[in-house]
Each structure stands twice: as structure tokens, then as C-alpha cells.
Amino acid sequence: MKITEVNTYPLKMNLQQPSWTAHEISGAATLTLFEVKTDEGITGYGEVQGGPQKTICDLAAAYGACITGMDPLGHVDIWEKLFSSTSPRPGGLGGWDGLPAPLPRGQRPQAMAAIGGIDIALWDIKGKAASMPVYKLLGGSRTSVFTYSTGGYYIEGAPLESCAEEFAGYVEMGYRAVKMKTGAFSLADELTRIRAVRDAIGPDVLLMLDMNAPYGVDDCIKFANTVAPYDIFWLEEPLHWHLQPADYVRLAKGSPIPLAHGEREWTRFTIRDFIDSGALGYVQFDSTRHAGFTESLRIAHHAEQQGVKIAPHTAPQLHAHLASAFGDAAFGAESHGGTDRHPIQHGLYTEHADVRDGMVHLSDRPGFGVEIDWDFVKKVGA
């Protein structure tokens, strides 16, 4: 089997209500669909987040030219070949070795996204070639994988307690764990929000806090000890972007709440130091942002060996396959219970894993089990 074509489809939808994390505002949902075709008629699909979408698509086109004719089942060789383009290398000037010239530093995030989209599609092909779903290909047997719903995004001018009703709705949908955006407001205001959500969901539902990196170590220790009485399951991305594993170690010593981190790490080479530090309880890599499924598997194996729970970020229709394969070493996968947060993911597929009753239900369809709604792709193409 040979790769014949790599195509990308940048998608964008304006949101009815712009909202904030502690880090940034979002007024639109975006997603780039990847398609890898082969000479045997098997086509694989992947998806990535990130931008600018044009840069990601341009890099994917260059990468597609590099891997045309290669065996799509040799995903490691393809991953390593494409990853080498992100660094200077002997013979790499001017593309003399058949790869694009070493990328500008500022394009590395987009390159990792482009590699990720291709790699996810290759795993879809691998499953289809074997007539097996990806989770079975990896040795998994669980067809139901735990999931939680993220919400509580900040709406300008909304009352502090307004998100409580949203989370109560997720519990009514069957979720037994929810994750709330925090970190944008003062500690007093965040306490008001957290208290309202805990009252709304009751004492038996897990409550995680997604912080988007608002704190230094000392301030975060104070935050953790203040919110701990509300039975918080984890603090996610609690520290400023520039703080490193040693800082997480200091935080872990002073925090009564376990720490989660990983979605913004580009590769296994940086996230391994967070895992090895002993500071994390949960690791949250994201195949759809950085490096794809192959790199996520490497991270997951390392985390399992170090006793850190696997909790992939977003895209449950993909990441539930990985969580299934790792059994009790995986906490589960993230979902968005409300279609308004990412309407593209809810509209892109005519077939996909079914999220209901707080679980991702996987099917026996080969690959990732997704089918694309091409009318939807035409409608929301960027």
C-alpha cells in the first residue's frame, strides 16, 4: 500500500456567544480535517486544532509531497521523517535531502499540528487495513470509556453563579465528572463560582478545575488550600506557561489537590520531565494539537510506567481508543457536553463514538470509526 494524496479542509464556525478562558477569548470554533488517500482505496481521516489554519494546511501540503509513495502502515518512519523537518539537520539546507528546509522557529507549533493530523489519519488507515477499530489494534477491549464534560467558560457580564445551571445540566445528562474553567477572577469571586457549582452538582460528582496557567507557585498554593474544602479532584494547568517541572514539584508539596498538565507540551521530550518529576497525578497530552496518535502512545506508555494517570485532552472520538487500550492506567477522555462550545466536532461526523451517560461508547467500526459529513464540510469550510 502506498500513500497517494494528503488533503486538508480548514473549517470555521462563529460561536453564538463568545467566551473566555483565563487565557484568551474565543469567538469562533475551528478545526482542520485531514484526509490521507492510498492506492488501495483506503482513506484515513484526522483532525487538528490550532492556527493559523493556512500555515498548518501549507505545511501539510509540503509534508504530503514528502510522504507520497511511502507505506502508510509505517507510521513511525513517517513521523520521524516529518519531525526531522522541525530542526536543522546535516544536508537539510534548501531541502536537499528531500524534506522542506528547516522550518522557522515560529512555525514549529503549526508543524506539530500538521504532523499530528497526518499521523491520526495513518492510524485510521491502519485500523481500516486490519478491519479493526484502533482500540482493538492496540490490545484494548473496553468499549465504554469514562468521560467528563468541560464547561464554565467566562461570559462577559454574566453573574458569577450563572455557570452552576450549566453543570447541573451535564449531571442530568449522566456525567459523573465535570471540569470548570477557573483562574480569571479574584480568589473571592472564584470561590463564589466554585461553591455554586458544587452545590448544583452535589457531593458525589467529581469536580476538576481547569485554570489555563494563571498563577505563580506561592499564589497557587494559597488558591489550592482555599478551594480544597469543595472536594476538588485536580488542578489543571495551574502555573504560568514559563514555569517548569521543578516549580510543579514545589506546588505539589504545598497543594492538597492533585495536579494535571500536558496539553500544551509539544512532544514527549518535554512532557516526560513533568511526568518524571513526580508532581503530576494526571497527564493530558492532545493528539489533535501536537504530534498525533503515535506521540500520544509514547507519552501514555511512559506515564503508565511512572504511575501517572492518562487523561487525554479533547476529541473523545479519538482519545477514547487510547484510554480503552490502557485500561486502569487511564482516567478517561474529555468531552464537551454542550454542542455550542465546539459545533464543528458535533456536526462533522455522520458516524462517531457515542457519548452518553458519562461514557464514550466505542463501536466495532474499523479505524477510529468515523464517517465524514461532506455536506457539512462544504458548508463551514474556511
Side-chain angles (χ1 to χ4, degrees), residues 5-9 31-37 43-49 56-57 59-60 63-64 67 78-79 82 109-125 286-294 318 349 368:
E5 198 173 343
V6 174
N7 299 311
T8 54
Y9 304 88
L31 182 149
T32 302
L33 175 67
F34 277 64
E35 177 185 62
V36 177
K37 293 185 176 182
T43 300
Y45 298 103
E47 65 171 72
V48 300
Q49 304 293 326
I56 292 172
C57 293
L59 286 165
Y63 286 156
I67 64 174
I78 291 172
W79 193 98
L82 298 182
Q110 292 79 33
M112 298 309 292
I115 293 169
I118 291 171
D119 183 77
I120 293 168
L122 295 181
W123 276 94
D124 196 33
I125 289 171
D286 188 339
S287 302
T288 69
R289 287 190 178 184
H290 308 303
F293 211 73
T294 296
L318 304 176
Y349 302 111
F368 288 111

Side-chain angles (χ1 to χ4, degrees), residues 6-197:
V6 174
N7 299 311
T8 54
Y9 304 88
L11 310 177
K12 181 178 180 180
M13 290 183 70
N14 291 327
L15 301 177
Q16 292 182 354
Q17 174 64 67
S19 62
W20 290 81
T21 67
H23 182 78
E24 59 194 347
I25 191 170
S26 177
T30 61
L31 182 149
T32 302
L33 175 67
F34 277 64
E35 177 185 62
V36 177
K37 293 185 176 182
T38 70
D39 61 354
E40 294 189 9
I42 299 176
T43 300
Y45 298 103
E47 65 171 72
V48 300
Q49 304 293 326
Q53 286 179 290
K54 183 181 186 306
T55 304
I56 292 172
C57 293
D58 288 347
L59 286 165
Y63 286 156
C66 293
I67 64 174
T68 295
M70 293 185 71
D71 182 354
L73 304 184
H75 63 275
V76 173
D77 284 347
I78 291 172
W79 193 98
E80 295 293 347
K81 181 176 183 177
L82 298 182
F83 185 60
S84 71
S85 73
T86 64
S87 299
R89 59 193 185 275
L93 291 177
W96 301 333
D97 60 357
L99 283 171
L103 295 174
R105 293 180 179 90
Q107 287 189 6
R108 286 172 184 164
Q110 292 79 33
M112 298 309 292
I115 293 169
I118 291 171
D119 183 77
I120 293 168
L122 295 181
W123 276 94
D124 196 33
I125 289 171
K126 188 182 291 286
K128 290 173 178 176
S131 298
M132 296 172 65
V134 170
Y135 72 90
K136 285 189 177 180
L137 200 64
L138 296 174
S141 61
R142 299 184 183 189
T143 57
S144 295
V145 174
F146 188 76
T147 188
Y148 62 88
S149 182
T150 295
Y153 293 85
Y154 296 93
I155 307 297
E156 188 171 352
L160 289 176
E161 301 92 339
S162 60
C163 61
E165 183 178 352
E166 173 191 356
F167 284 103
Y170 295 148
V171 175
E172 290 178 6
M173 293 169 64
Y175 284 99
R176 290 165 286 157
V178 295
K179 189 170 76 179
M180 173 185 178
K181 292 292 181 178
T182 53
F185 292 164
S186 68
L187 179 52
D189 284 348
E190 291 296 352
L191 272 176
T192 299
R193 297 177 73 240
I194 293 166
R195 184 185 305 114
V197 169

Side-chain angles (χ1 to χ4, degrees), residues 47-382:
E47 65 171 72
V48 300
Q49 304 293 326
Q53 286 179 290
K54 183 181 186 306
T55 304
I56 292 172
C57 293
D58 288 347
L59 286 165
Y63 286 156
C66 293
I67 64 174
T68 295
M70 293 185 71
D71 182 354
L73 304 184
H75 63 275
V76 173
D77 284 347
I78 291 172
W79 193 98
E80 295 293 347
K81 181 176 183 177
L82 298 182
F83 185 60
S84 71
S85 73
T86 64
S87 299
R89 59 193 185 275
L93 291 177
W96 301 333
D97 60 357
L99 283 171
L103 295 174
R105 293 180 179 90
Q107 287 189 6
R108 286 172 184 164
Q110 292 79 33
M112 298 309 292
I115 293 169
I118 291 171
D119 183 77
I120 293 168
L122 295 181
W123 276 94
D124 196 33
I125 289 171
K126 188 182 291 286
K128 290 173 178 176
S131 298
M132 296 172 65
V134 170
Y135 72 90
K136 285 189 177 180
L137 200 64
L138 296 174
S141 61
R142 299 184 183 189
T143 57
S144 295
V145 174
F146 188 76
T147 188
Y148 62 88
S149 182
T150 295
Y153 293 85
Y154 296 93
I155 307 297
E156 188 171 352
L160 289 176
E161 301 92 339
S162 60
C163 61
E165 183 178 352
E166 173 191 356
F167 284 103
Y170 295 148
V171 175
E172 290 178 6
M173 293 169 64
Y175 284 99
R176 290 165 286 157
V178 295
K179 189 170 76 179
M180 173 185 178
K181 292 292 181 178
T182 53
F185 292 164
S186 68
L187 179 52
D189 284 348
E190 291 296 352
L191 272 176
T192 299
R193 297 177 73 240
I194 293 166
R195 184 185 305 114
V197 169
R198 174 52 79 191
D199 289 344
I201 65 176
D204 298 326
V205 175
L206 303 181
L207 175 58
M208 295 88 89
L209 300 183
D210 189 358
M211 302 176 68
N212 297 110
Y215 280 120
V217 175
D218 292 339
D219 286 342
C220 196
I221 290 173
K222 178 181 178 181
F223 176 90
N225 282 278
T226 303
V227 303
Y230 296 96
D231 195 15
I232 306 303
F233 192 73
W234 75 44
L235 300 181
E236 178 175 336
E237 283 197 316
L239 297 181
H240 294 316
W241 67 270
H242 54 272
L243 296 180
Q244 296 299 304
D247 304 293
Y248 273 75
V249 170
R250 287 178 53 211
L251 174 59
K253 289 178 180 178
S255 170
I257 304 169
L259 307 181
H261 177 73
E263 71 182 76
R264 69 172 180 254
E265 300 300 324
W266 294 357
T267 72
R268 67 189 184 277
F269 300 108
T270 56
I271 202 170
R272 70 181 177 195
D273 295 332
F274 286 92
I275 293 170
D276 292 347
S277 74
L280 300 186
Y282 303 87
V283 63
Q284 299 170 297
F285 46 84
D286 188 339
S287 302
T288 69
R289 287 190 178 184
H290 308 303
F293 211 73
T294 296
E295 193 74 340
S296 290
L297 278 171
R298 290 162 163 165
I299 294 166
H301 279 295
H302 187 68
E304 180 184 32
Q305 293 164 18
Q306 298 297 325
V308 177
K309 288 281 189 178
I310 299 159
H313 177 257
T314 69
Q317 74 279 4
L318 304 176
H319 286 137
H321 288 264
L322 188 148
S324 170
F326 279 83
D328 291 341
F331 171 76
E334 180 184 23
S335 302
H336 281 88
T339 59
D340 56 335
R341 181 62 196 174
H342 208 314
I344 296 177
Q345 279 199 336
H346 287 275
L348 178 59
Y349 302 111
T350 59
E351 294 283 353
H352 58 84
D354 184 20
V355 180
R356 54 182 165 80
D357 301 325
M359 305 292 284
V360 182
H361 298 276
L362 298 169
S363 73
D364 280 333
R365 291 189 296 270
F368 288 111
V370 301
E371 296 291 341
I372 308 300
D373 185 338
W374 289 106
D375 289 336
F376 181 86
V377 172
K378 293 176 183 178
K379 179 180 178 182
V380 303

